[in-house]
């Protein structure tokens, strides 16, 4: 019998658990910073619309389409680099670029310039997500991988919560302070100053990323000789296309969950402002508190539910948990949009926030289990591409289009949120139910892989 403690690298081939969780902590904090830089705009929709003279639909394109364009052009190539080269270097470079672009948004003088700088902010998840998931999968064995990814995925809610709470206070302070004037730039609007304030400090995370080590790559498809090798782009494409039902339903189902989440993240603050007359600081504190509370609860929900279903004998435990969480999130979001009072809406936003994030964590854990090491970052990049093209584009913009062209009333925003939330949850549930059988088949196939370092 082995005398090594569980988690000892000599027994499992994985780094010591203490160091592995340190890496997860760094990646989670980095993920949070990326969402602070992304989400801060949701609090400033009204002043940006006023100062630039643009519509809800144009604002939604800044929030959504600007990120989706980057994924279409560069997400998969970056994922391929992450499957072959240093993942920490890719992440560190991405951090430096997206933080600099966030600060640059504060220098934009018109809508076109702001859109271009928001494209640069989109580099965040393009460089972070695929590389981070690949790193975590090489630090944790299958039995604890979903738990680690659940903690990492907390970064979404931590970042959004901090953006809402701290950002709301910063916006209020800056709005009441004397205008900021910069050499060769001139006087800045209050929202421009906020972009500079939140963007520059994040550059410290680029240096912090360099403190982590690259682990050996594990769980790759072996050759006939037994050694895992790199795969050509054609081989990766063939592998994924041969299993298109599993990957397609996974990506599209989770994109519907993301559509729901991004619609809420983009428009909930404005919904409270327009429907109940709340101020930016007030809604930022209330919604930010909900989101921060949901962060650890989402990780616990993803871990507890997937492990409980697995203990009951469900071989598709992770994806089944994702399905349940998505349904809870959608029902709660619809209830929040139709709530008779703002405080009932705040309460219902808690399960909505927990559900979307827990569903994503469960599904990403499942994806890393059934995808070979040589293509994990590339598969993740395709996942993020689909999620961002569908979720980030249709979510925020769908709400805006309903408001501008269906209801034709800014005060009907809550009904736009309700409509998009209901459509998203129905679409997600149908695809995730379809996915279960195909995920079970992919899981059975993955049991044959040799655990040979690349």
């Amino acid at each position: 019998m082995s005398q090594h403690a569980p988690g000892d690298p000599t027994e499992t081939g994985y780094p010591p658990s203490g160091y592995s969780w340190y890496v997860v902590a760094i990646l989670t904090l980095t993920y949070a910073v990326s969402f602070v830089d992304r989400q801060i705009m949701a609090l400033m929709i009204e002043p940006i619309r006023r100062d630039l003279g643009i519509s809800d639909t144009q604002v939604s394109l800044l929030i959504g389409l600007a990120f989706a364009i980057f994924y279409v052009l560069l997400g998969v190539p970056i994922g391929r680099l992450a499957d072959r080269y240093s993942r920490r270097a890719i992440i560190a470079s991405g951090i430096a670029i997206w933080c600099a672009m966030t600060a640059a948004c504060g220098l934009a003088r018109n809508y076109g310039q702001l859109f271009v700088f928001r494209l640069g902010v989109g580099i965040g998840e393009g460089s972070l997500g695929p590389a981070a998931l690949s790193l975590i999968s090489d630090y944790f064995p299958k039995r604890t991988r979903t738990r680690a990814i659940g903690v990492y995925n907390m970064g979404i809610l931590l970042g959004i919560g901090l953006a809402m709470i701290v950002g709301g206070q910063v916006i209020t302070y800056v709005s009441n302070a004397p205008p900021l004037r910069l050499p060769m730039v001139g006087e800045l609007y209050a929202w421009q100053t906020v972009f500079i304030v939140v963007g520059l400090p994040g550059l410290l995370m680029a240096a912090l990323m360099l403190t982590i080590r690259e682990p050996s790559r594990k769980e790759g498809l072996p050759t006939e000789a037994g050694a895992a090798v790199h795969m050509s782009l054609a081989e990766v494409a063939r592998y994924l296309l041969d299993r298109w039902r599993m990957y397609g339903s996974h990506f599209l189902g989770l994109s519907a969950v993301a559509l729901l989440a991004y619609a809420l993240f983009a428009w909930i603050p404005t919904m409270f402002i327009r429907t109940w007359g709340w101020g930016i600081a007030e809604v930022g504190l209330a919604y930010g508190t909900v989101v921060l509370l949901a962060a650890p609860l989402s990780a616990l929900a993803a871990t507890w539910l997937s492990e409980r279903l697995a203990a009951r004998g469900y071989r598709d435990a992770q994806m089944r948990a994702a399905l349940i969480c998505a349904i809870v999130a959608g029902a709660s979001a619809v209830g929040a949009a139709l709530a008779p009072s703002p405080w009932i809406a705040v309460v219902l936003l808690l399960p909505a926030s927990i559900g979307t994030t827990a569903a994503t964590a469960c599904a990403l854990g499942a994806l890393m289990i059934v995808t070979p090491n040589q293509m994990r970052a590339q598969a993740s990049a395709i996942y993020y591409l689909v999620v961002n093209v569908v979720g980030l584009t249709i979510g925020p913009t769908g709400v805006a289009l309903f408001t501008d062209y269906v209801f034709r009333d800014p005060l009907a925003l809550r009904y736009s949120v309700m409509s998009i939330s209901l459509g998203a949850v129905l679409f997600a549930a149908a695809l995730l139910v379809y996915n279960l059988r195909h995920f079970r088949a992919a899981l059975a196939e993955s049991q044959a892989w040799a655990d040979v370092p690349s």
Side-chain angles (χ1 to χ4, degrees):
M1 180 180 296
S2 172
Q3 298 302 309
H4 298 296
D8 190 315
T10 59
E11 179 186 358
T12 67
Y14 290 89
S17 61
Y19 185 79
S20 297
W21 282 110
Y22 165 76
V23 172
V24 170
I26 297 299
L27 292 173
T28 302
L29 183 57
T30 302
Y31 206 16
V33 169
S34 77
F35 267 84
V36 169
D37 290 353
R38 171 191 296 199
Q39 190 62 25
I40 195 67
M41 180 172 282
L43 281 175
M44 302 187 293
I45 289 176
E46 294 300 298
I48 290 174
R49 285 179 70 248
R50 180 194 65 231
D51 294 336
L52 297 184
I54 58 179
S55 67
D56 278 0
T57 300
Q58 287 176 297
V59 173
S60 74
L61 297 178
L62 293 173
I63 295 173
L65 182 63
F67 288 84
I69 288 176
F70 175 81
Y71 274 94
V72 171
L73 296 177
L74 296 176
V76 174
I78 288 180
R80 184 157 181 79
L81 289 175
D83 278 328
R84 300 176 67 91
Y85 303 107
S86 171
R87 292 162 286 191
R88 72 168 189 168
I90 289 171
I91 294 173
S93 300
I95 296 170
I97 294 171
W98 92 60
C99 289
M101 289 296 101
T102 298
C105 288
L107 304 178
R109 310 306 295 179
N110 54 55
Y111 181 76
Q113 292 177 4
L114 186 56
F115 189 91
V116 169
F117 291 140
R118 288 290 287 178
L119 287 175
V121 180
I123 291 175
E125 282 200 38
S127 60
L128 174 60
L133 292 174
S134 178
L135 272 175
I136 292 172
S137 297
D138 285 333
Y139 270 106
F140 290 86
K142 289 182 178 180
R143 62 184 176 83
T144 57
R145 193 169 298 158
T146 297
R147 188 178 307 171
I149 291 175
V151 172
Y152 164 73
N153 219 50
M154 283 172 44
I156 298 174
L157 297 180
L158 291 175
I160 292 172
L162 290 172
M164 292 292 169
I165 295 176
V166 179
Q169 302 304 314
V170 170
I171 291 168
T172 301
Y173 173 78
V174 169
S175 298
N176 295 326
L180 178 65
R181 291 179 175 83
L182 297 179
M184 297 186 297
V185 175
E187 185 176 316
L188 300 180
Y189 293 121
W191 57 266
Q192 291 178 297
T193 304
V194 173
F195 276 124
I196 295 173
V197 169
V198 302
L200 294 179
L203 292 170
L204 296 175
M205 292 304 304
L208 193 57
M209 268 303 303
L210 299 179
T211 66
I212 72 172
R213 299 189 299 266
E214 279 279 331
S216 62
R217 297 179 185 260
K218 306 171 184 68
E219 298 176 4
L221 283 178
T223 65
E224 294 181 358
V229 295
H230 295 301
M231 300 175 68
S232 69
L233 189 59
E235 290 172 324
V236 172
R238 190 179 307 115
Y239 185 94
L240 297 176
L241 288 173
D242 285 345
R243 298 153 182 82
W244 68 269
R245 290 180 178 84
M246 196 284 293
Y247 283 103
S249 58
H250 183 289
F251 294 166
L252 289 174
L254 267 294
S255 72
V257 175
L259 189 159
L260 169 62
Y262 289 134
L264 297 179
F265 295 154
W267 290 107
I268 285 297
T270 306
M271 186 184 83
F272 275 76
I273 291 170
R274 294 182 186 175
T275 304
W276 292 294
W278 283 25
I280 290 177
E282 187 179 11
V283 68
L285 180 60
Y287 189 34
T289 300
V290 166
V291 172
L292 284 181
L293 182 60
L297 294 177
S298 68
L300 290 173
T303 301
W304 178 83
L305 187 55
S306 59
E307 291 182 356
R308 188 169 182 82
L309 290 172
R312 291 189 174 186
Y314 289 101
R315 291 182 294 120
D316 54 13
Q318 288 93 343
M319 291 307 300
R320 190 172 292 267
L323 170 62
I324 294 171
C325 292
I327 292 173
V328 170
S332 301
V334 170
L338 299 178
S341 76
W343 290 109
I344 292 176
V346 168
V347 171
L348 288 173
L349 286 172
L350 180 60
S353 300
I354 293 171
T356 53
T357 309
T360 302
C362 293
L364 286 175
L367 183 65
M368 292 299 98
I369 289 174
V370 300
T371 302
N373 187 292
Q374 299 99 316
M375 64 181 76
R376 277 182 182 151
Q378 292 166 87
S380 300
I382 297 172
Y383 162 86
Y384 282 117
L385 186 154
V386 175
V387 162
N388 282 278
V389 168
V390 176
L392 263 175
T393 301
I394 300 178
T397 303
V399 172
L401 290 173
F402 264 77
T403 303
D404 286 344
Y405 300 106
V406 177
F407 297 111
R408 298 178 181 272
D409 182 2
L411 296 180
L413 177 60
R414 65 190 301 188
Y415 302 112
S416 301
V417 172
M418 179 276 294
S419 301
I420 293 298
S421 298
L422 182 59
V425 70
L426 292 175
F427 191 64
L431 285 166
L432 294 179
V433 167
Y434 174 80
N435 175 269
L436 294 178
R437 175 167 60 90
H438 299 289
F439 174 75
R440 291 193 295 268
L443 184 63
E445 180 186 25
S446 73
Q447 304 303 317
W449 297 340
D451 190 9
V452 181
S454 301

